[in-house]
Amino acid sequence: MCFSHYRLFWGFVAAVVFPLTMPTQAAIINWSVPSNISGDSDVITTGTLVDARNMSQNQLTTTVNGVFFDIFPIPNGGNGISGLNNIFAFAYNNAESSDTAYGSSNLPYSSLSLSYRTLLSSGAGSSPGNPLTLNLLGLTNGAAYLFQWWTNDSGLAFGGVNTTTATATNSVTLDENTTNSDGGMGQWVSGTFTATGTSQTITFSGPRPAINAYQLRVVPEPGSLSLLIFGGLTIVHCRRRK
């Protein structure tokens, strides 16, 4: 009976692991409910950081809630693709990027920490409404990931009344200024997916789509983790009985 449990456990592992080498289509992202920007604790620290980027015109870095956001320079008025080999690629047309224009000196935005304001004051958008496309690269097929992104226009430099929709089969829409007032703040959201290949594409669209920052993290997959733990406990129990 214990031997049967042992075979069943490793049969499950084989069924899960072996298909991971097969090429498949991009995964579906399951989005959470959008949250209003409120403070450093907005930045999720669950799991292990893969990559975090601060969209800006020049080269700005910042650390928020212990997460280091590296540079992601987007040329203002540019058309093209920016990125790093095997990390990310970002496609844009008629980009409007800035290091400071997305921020404000008014409350409640000005009450945020300096590091968080650095993250949210910079960003990139497209005034003609051209979609922005982010391609996450170098993923591990079958691994579970969490993706978090922000849209914010506190100073109303770009209207402050726009929304941006992120789509990866499923869609979620964020408001860049929830009060439509100078000093108001935007929103962030997270989404989870299991990689079905080595890349994941996310499209941002809207009247003037904008993104200030994003991060990608590897997280445990609850279902698989529970089954593996159960299988391991079964083996231990069988050995004890012997």
Side-chain angles (χ1 to χ4, degrees), residues 21-230:
T21 60
M22 300 298 290
T24 53
Q25 299 298 315
I28 298 171
I29 296 183
N30 296 307
W31 301 104
S32 67
V33 175
S35 297
N36 294 343
I37 292 169
S38 61
D40 285 18
S41 60
D42 294 345
V43 179
I44 295 172
T45 57
T46 302
T48 303
L49 180 65
V50 175
D51 187 46
R53 297 285 162 174
N54 181 26
M55 321 294 265
S56 60
Q57 184 175 338
N58 294 303
Q59 299 183 357
L60 295 178
T61 64
T62 187
T63 299
V64 185
N65 201 23
V67 177
F68 174 70
F69 288 82
D70 208 343
I71 60 174
F72 197 154
I74 306 295
N76 188 42
N79 302 306
I81 300 176
S82 296
L84 293 174
N85 187 40
N86 206 38
I87 297 178
F88 66 87
F90 187 67
Y92 49 88
N93 289 293
N94 298 308
E96 287 182 335
S97 60
S98 175
D99 297 337
T100 59
Y102 292 84
S104 172
S105 59
N106 292 334
L107 292 170
Y109 178 82
S110 60
S111 66
L112 296 173
S113 69
L114 175 59
S115 58
Y116 204 8
R117 280 181 280 140
T118 299
L119 190 72
L120 299 172
S121 293
S122 58
S126 177
S127 59
N130 294 322
L132 309 170
T133 303
L134 177 65
N135 197 18
L136 305 170
L137 307 173
L139 306 183
T140 299
N141 196 10
Y145 291 92
L146 180 146
F147 177 79
Q148 182 181 19
W149 66 281
W150 288 258
T151 187
N152 182 77
D153 180 14
S154 291
L156 307 180
F158 304 102
V161 295
N162 296 310
T163 60
T164 298
T165 298
T167 302
T169 304
N170 289 335
S171 297
V172 65
T173 299
L174 299 188
D175 189 338
E176 67 182 19
N177 190 318
T178 58
T179 59
N180 296 332
S181 61
D182 192 349
M185 297 187 288
Q187 295 184 308
W188 63 267
V189 73
S190 66
T192 55
F193 66 95
T194 300
T196 55
T198 58
S199 65
Q200 176 68 39
T201 299
I202 305 169
T203 301
F204 300 89
S205 60
R208 185 195 174 277
I211 177 171
N212 303 82
Y214 78 82
Q215 71 160 327
L216 178 68
R217 309 184 72 87
V218 174
V219 293
E221 191 169 4
S224 298
L225 184 61
S226 299
L227 286 170
L228 288 171
I229 292 174
F230 173 77

